[in-house]
Amino acid sequence: MSVQNLYETKRMSAADAIQVLRDGDTIVVPTGVGEPPSLLTALSDARRNYRGITVSQILPLRKYGYIDPETVDHVRHSAYFFGGATRPGGQEGWIDFVPAYFSELPMLLKRGLTPSDVVFTLASPMDEHGYFSLSLAPDYTMAAIEKARAVVLEVNPNVPFANGDCHIHISRVAALTESSDPLLEVGLPKIGPVQEAIGAHVAEMIPDGATLQIGYGGIPDAVVMQLTHKRDLGIHTEMIGDGIMTLVEAGVVTNQRKNVHRGKMLATFALGSKKLYDFMHRNPALEMHPVDFTNDPFLAGQNDNLHCINATMQIDFLGQCGSESLGPKPYSGTGGQSDFVRAANRSNGGKAFIVLPSTAKDDTISRIVPTLTPGAHVSTSKNDINYVVTEFGVAQLRGKSAKQRCEALIAIAHPNFREELRAAAKKLNLL
């Protein structure tokens, strides 16, 4: 049977495609834009027909009907990382949370430590050889496919056919449905004076020829906007977004000084505009790979001058970063921050930057604190931290004593809180 004939035998409505589900199944869904809206809408509509279904995903971008406290016995969400759609349920306790390094999710799936019975994912149209590209988020999805009993695709012509380890053959697909809605677009975050000041401090420390990992947020994007005069930058990151595309368009990204996949940008998921998704389509300069490849600290750290930029919400005098919760209340998740901090620490000439505004809530709360808020989830440990940057400067912590770290962090705290922080440090015998 030809691949096109095989395609036709598996094409059906979304409502029919989800009939592959059995009670008790765990459905793995890709990160962000890779989620298939038609399939998840069909699941939401039929959720009361099932018992014990779990949907596991990083960063859902839409609040589907199944995200409902009244029907969790039928379909329950399990978060690898919270987004706006799932954060309230996580804080209220009716959405589960799986703590894990982003780089290790494929291993957890392959070893059966976290389940994968069915995969629902967006996919590009099939090529002449019978392959689809899961370009928007191969992340942990490729590992889930290896373990799954059934793979269900939502084929959309707006999904780019990207290069890399992100393809699945029609023979591995149990069912597919078609849609043509525009992909969800996520704009650049707001950049204000504080973000610009932090970005300037970081940009000054990034040399020509550096390889970059850039997290999501106003501060990382403020850094990007101040790198357009650099030369021969490389990209080895988890997320590709419009900020990176800005550097490519400025002609400063050549990837020629990378040690891993020289000449290629590497990423594991995409989050941006239609312009970004069009840029990804059959672009020989970009490859999308699973997250256990892109985020492996050993592999990423083989790039010389790897510079990684990630944000946190709170940091204590020892350098512990609370990047994913508000005290004990979950807010996001571990993601790849720790992966890339460790990768940059391994890299010859690498630098790991943790960035944060010095205050929150209109300058009423210091984000640099003596100890993290009780119950805060530690994302990056005191042993991994290196450069911490606020709008008031840079504190380099790696290799420094507890007292030296305390002094350096107070020096970049907001001036309104420095005396208060010094008094707290004296009580902790750190000054």
Side-chain angles (χ1 to χ4, degrees), residues 312 314-315 319-323 337 354 372 377-381 385:
T312 193
Q314 190 182 58
I315 187 167
Q320 297 183 110
C321 295
S323 308
Q337 180 177 120
I354 295 292
L372 295 180
H377 304 175
V378 178
S379 308
T380 295
S381 80
I385 194 75

Side-chain angles (χ1 to χ4, degrees), residues 104-353:
E104 293 189 354
L105 277 173
M107 176 270 290
L108 297 178
L109 288 159
K110 290 175 184 178
R111 296 183 182 179
L113 295 171
T114 188
S116 171
D117 300 301
V118 177
V119 174
F120 284 179
T121 178
L122 269 181
S124 74
M126 186 177 71
D127 73 3
E128 66 273 24
H129 304 294
Y131 285 93
F132 304 84
S133 180
L134 310 185
S135 56
L136 299 173
D139 46 26
Y140 49 83
T141 311
M142 302 304 290
I145 285 170
E146 287 184 29
K147 297 293 289 186
R149 181 187 75 249
V151 179
V152 184
L153 305 184
E154 181 172 331
V155 179
N156 185 312
N158 297 302
V159 176
F161 196 103
N163 298 319
D165 183 7
C166 59
H167 303 133
I168 182 173
H169 193 263
I170 183 64
S171 60
R172 184 67 181 85
V173 176
L176 63 88
T177 192
E178 295 176 336
S179 65
S180 58
D181 293 339
L183 300 179
L184 196 63
E185 297 185 56
V186 179
L188 291 173
K190 183 179 179 182
I191 298 174
V194 170
Q195 288 81 9
E196 287 183 358
I198 296 171
H201 289 309
V202 176
E204 187 177 346
M205 299 177 69
I206 296 177
D208 291 343
T211 292
L212 304 179
Q213 176 266 326
I214 301 166
Y216 180 76
I219 298 173
D221 277 309
V223 175
V224 166
M225 300 309 168
Q226 298 180 63
L227 296 177
T228 54
H229 64 287
K230 301 288 184 178
R231 296 181 179 180
D232 287 333
L233 298 179
I235 303 296
H236 186 123
T237 191
E238 60 183 20
M239 186 195 84
I240 184 165
D242 285 63
I244 288 174
M245 192 170 57
T246 299
L247 294 179
V248 174
E249 291 174 337
V252 301
V253 173
T254 66
N255 297 292
Q256 290 304 313
R257 292 166 68 174
K258 292 176 63 182
N259 303 83
V260 178
H261 282 216
R262 189 184 303 272
K264 306 286 187 182
M265 292 178 282
L266 299 184
T268 197
F269 73 96
L271 195 64
S273 66
K274 181 180 185 300
K275 185 178 179 182
L276 171 69
Y277 308 139
D278 291 344
F279 167 82
M280 295 171 63
H281 184 64
R282 297 193 181 276
N283 186 337
L286 170 68
E287 292 188 2
M288 302 298 291
H289 284 270
V291 70
D292 53 352
F293 182 85
T294 60
N295 287 37
D296 179 348
F298 176 77
L299 187 145
Q302 292 177 30
N303 287 298
D304 293 341
N305 297 307
L306 178 65
H307 286 59
C308 302
I309 306 152
N310 293 281
T312 193
M313 294 191 286
Q314 190 182 58
I315 187 167
D316 71 11
F317 285 162
L318 286 179
Q320 297 183 110
C321 295
S323 308
E324 57 192 274
S325 72
L326 302 169
K329 280 190 173 183
Y331 186 83
S332 54
T334 303
Q337 180 177 120
S338 299
D339 296 332
F340 277 103
V341 167
R342 291 174 175 174
N345 288 341
R346 297 183 64 94
S347 166
N348 180 29
K351 299 185 184 81
F353 298 100

